[in-house]
Amino acid sequence: MNQLICPAQSMSGWVRVPGDRSVTVRGVLLGSIADGTSRLMDYLDCDDTRAAIHIMQQLGAGIRNEGHTLIVEGRGLRGLTPASAPLYCDSSGTTMRLLAGLLAGQSFASVLDGSPQLRRRPMRRVTEPLNRMGASISDRDGCAPLHIPGAMLRGISYTLPIASAQIKSALLLAGLYAQGNTAIEEPILTRDHTERIMELMGAHIQRRANLITLDPTPGGLASIDLTVPTDFSSAAFFLVAACIHPQADLRLKQVGLNPTRTGLLDALRAMGARIEVESVDDAGEPIGDIAVRSSALRAITVGGERVARMIDEFPVFAVAATQAQGVTTVRDAEELRVKESNRIDGLVEELRKMGAHIDAAPDGFVVEGPTHLRGAVVDARGDHRMAMALAVAGLIAHGETIITGAECVSKTYPDFFRDLARLAPEAVQ
Ligand code: S3P
């Protein structure tokens, strides 16, 4: 699908972005191995979550939706049943990596597979520590398909070599099936949704600074009713759009504000963005309303621990940097090369087509601003966050922007262009 974006004359109004992808996937997986019926209110319905739901159904969980609520009938820790075919994760890295942990300790074998895009993404980061627990998972050159025989696992102590919530979560899920404790040290804090949901379900999990310890949970997991917060990573596109547009005044309603996710908020504030946050709720996950207006941004440097707290926001952050005064530098972000696309090279190539002054670095990029962007034909590269970031760039560009392959937004935000059209009707054609 080619999506035409025209310059927006102004941006105003409010938007409530859809539910959080990370929380929904975790809720589906953990709800399926809990005892009894869990409810995920305001869950996200998108390609990634559909893949997770379909797989857990194949493994025996009863999952259906009632309006905006997903009902998950858990089968208990030991109640899943083998699937007759490979389990297809589509392009969802979260689904594949977390499931590798969940399936490692089952009494049956499974195969995890995915789209050509997912088959290119590195999996040894999860299979290697899982194999240390006794999982015996085999892969193809470090990638999917993954053959998981199902094994007796033992707890391990593991220091994460990469700041990755997916690795941490895979090990915690495997730890539910392991003999002995599982201890994970994360040198840099990453999103903690798995820990929060496990705590709510009664898992014996302890968190002290950077150390997470999981003891065997002989009584199993209790079912829960969980209101899924909206996805900060989806709100991020509107946050940046309002900051860089000269005539913008937006209100983002009920945004998930888990501090392990809000690095972009801190970065934009450090750049001088006019953002106000009003706390609304804190039931499991903090939630707030965000008011954001046109801002004069200054360049900053982003590196270190903040990178993990905004790891999915760099495509749209790069767009913000094109409008900031000075040289914005992103470092310590080599992980961007192994996301849905190589986001460092992709951002440089696509934003240059629009006139941005951006250079790649091995572990990030450097942007000199501000620049007047011009409309161009740009490619989403099969990457949902590239598509949405390029749309934000198109809002402030001179002339028309055409985004090729824009349908990939359905991975996490199927209604993105509809929501954008509500805030800037003339921009989305
Ligand atoms: C996710 C963790 C991050 C993030 C991804 C979702 C999760 O990946 O980029 O979009 O739900 O745990 P890594 O764990 O590879 O950093």
Side-chain angles (χ1 to χ4, degrees):
M1 173 187 119
N2 289 350
Q3 179 66 53
L4 174 61
I5 300 288
C6 299
Q9 279 139 37
S10 66
M11 293 189 74
S12 62
W14 63 271
V15 62
R16 185 179 185 280
V17 300
D20 189 282
R21 184 266 312 260
S22 294
V23 174
T24 303
V25 170
R26 285 156 171 81
V28 168
L29 268 52
L30 283 161
S32 297
I33 55 169
D35 294 313
T37 303
S38 294
R39 285 176 191 78
L40 306 179
M41 276 78 76
D42 297 333
Y43 77 103
L44 173 65
D45 180 15
C46 65
D47 293 352
D48 275 14
T49 57
R50 284 182 181 202
I53 290 167
H54 187 234
I55 289 174
M56 296 322 293
Q57 287 170 331
Q58 285 176 276
L59 293 166
I63 308 181
R64 63 179 195 283
N65 74 306
E66 281 177 10
H68 297 297
T69 298
L70 196 67
I71 316 283
V72 184
E73 286 167 15
R75 297 295 177 231
L77 271 183
R78 290 283 167 197
L80 296 179
T81 48
S84 51
L87 301 165
Y88 184 69
C89 302
D90 198 1
S91 291
S92 176
T94 306
T95 300
M96 180 170 283
R97 293 189 178 126
L98 269 58
L99 268 175
L102 190 152
L103 293 171
Q106 302 294 331
S107 58
F108 54 83
S110 312
V111 178
L112 288 176
D113 206 351
S115 66
Q117 183 191 71
L118 184 55
R119 276 184 169 205
R120 288 193 291 273
R121 297 185 65 187
M123 289 297 146
R124 225 161 254 174
R125 52 180 61 198
V126 286
T127 58
E128 196 271 328
L130 290 172
N131 286 346
R132 281 203 216 175
M133 297 176 80
S136 299
I137 300 173
S138 53
D139 57 37
R140 187 191 290 163
D141 296 330
C143 298
L146 305 180
H147 291 261
I148 307 176
M152 295 282 282
L153 303 181
R154 54 187 174 273
I156 55 167
S157 292
Y158 191 72
T159 301
L160 292 183
I162 306 166
S164 163
Q166 295 180 350
I167 306 176
K168 172 177 67 173
S169 301
L171 298 182
L172 288 172
L173 286 162
L176 290 170
Y177 293 90
Q179 289 189 329
N181 300 336
T182 301
I184 303 165
E185 196 179 332
E186 45 175 0
I188 292 176
L189 292 183
T190 63
R191 65 189 70 191
D192 63 356
H193 308 298
T194 306
E195 296 92 304
R196 286 173 184 254
I197 300 177
M198 279 188 167
E199 272 166 6
L200 290 172
M201 290 183 153
H204 298 173
I205 189 166
Q206 280 169 29
R207 301 200 266 166
R208 232 172 287 120
N210 290 28
L211 187 68
I212 305 148
T213 319
L214 178 69
D215 293 335
T217 308
L221 300 176
S223 58
I224 51 163
D225 284 355
L226 183 73
T227 300
V228 176
T230 64
D231 201 321
F232 182 85
S233 296
S234 296
F237 299 101
F238 300 116
L239 208 52
V240 168
C243 285
I244 63 175
H245 194 285
Q247 299 289 334
D249 190 352
L250 294 187
R251 203 167 176 87
L252 310 178
K253 296 256 200 190
Q254 296 171 326
V255 183
L257 293 175
N258 181 316
T260 60
R261 297 285 298 280
T262 50
L264 177 75
L265 206 55
D266 301 344
L268 289 174
R269 278 178 163 152
M271 294 169 91
R274 297 196 295 168
I275 296 175
E276 282 154 44
V277 178
E278 190 187 321
S279 175
V280 175
D281 201 358
D282 197 348
E285 296 269 354
I287 291 169
D289 287 350
I290 303 179
V292 52
R293 284 173 294 161
S294 317
S295 308
L297 300 181
R298 300 179 295 273
I300 58 165
T301 293
V302 176
E305 64 83 34
R306 186 176 284 171
V307 170
R309 295 178 52 241
M310 58 182 286
I311 190 65
D312 291 339
E313 279 62 82
F314 285 103
V316 80
F317 178 73
V319 177
T322 67
Q323 303 310 303
Q325 181 75 47
V327 177
T328 295
T329 304
V330 172
R331 55 175 183 240
D332 305 323
E334 49 281 287
E335 274 296 296
L336 296 178
R337 295 193 178 276
V338 289
K339 294 295 177 191
E340 283 82 340
S341 68
N342 179 336
R343 289 183 178 162
I344 294 178
D345 292 350
L347 281 168
V348 169
E349 284 169 33
E350 302 307 326
L351 288 177
R352 276 186 182 172
K353 291 178 190 167
M354 300 181 76
H357 298 150
I358 175 168
D359 289 314
D363 64 343
F365 51 84
V366 178
V367 182
E368 198 184 330
T371 30
H372 290 293
L373 297 181
R374 52 177 188 270
V377 179
V378 288
D379 186 10
R381 299 171 169 241
D383 185 336
H384 56 142
R385 299 201 200 281
M386 288 290 292
M388 293 184 270
L390 291 167
V392 171
L395 296 174
I396 55 153
H398 293 285
E400 294 178 354
T401 297
I402 294 170
I403 305 166
T404 59
E407 68 281 354
C408 61
V409 299
S410 63
K411 187 173 196 292
T412 52
Y413 196 164
D415 289 331
F416 172 74
F417 291 109
R418 194 200 63 185
D419 286 352
L420 183 58
R422 278 189 41 226
L423 303 173
E426 71 286 352
V428 183
Q429 305 289 321

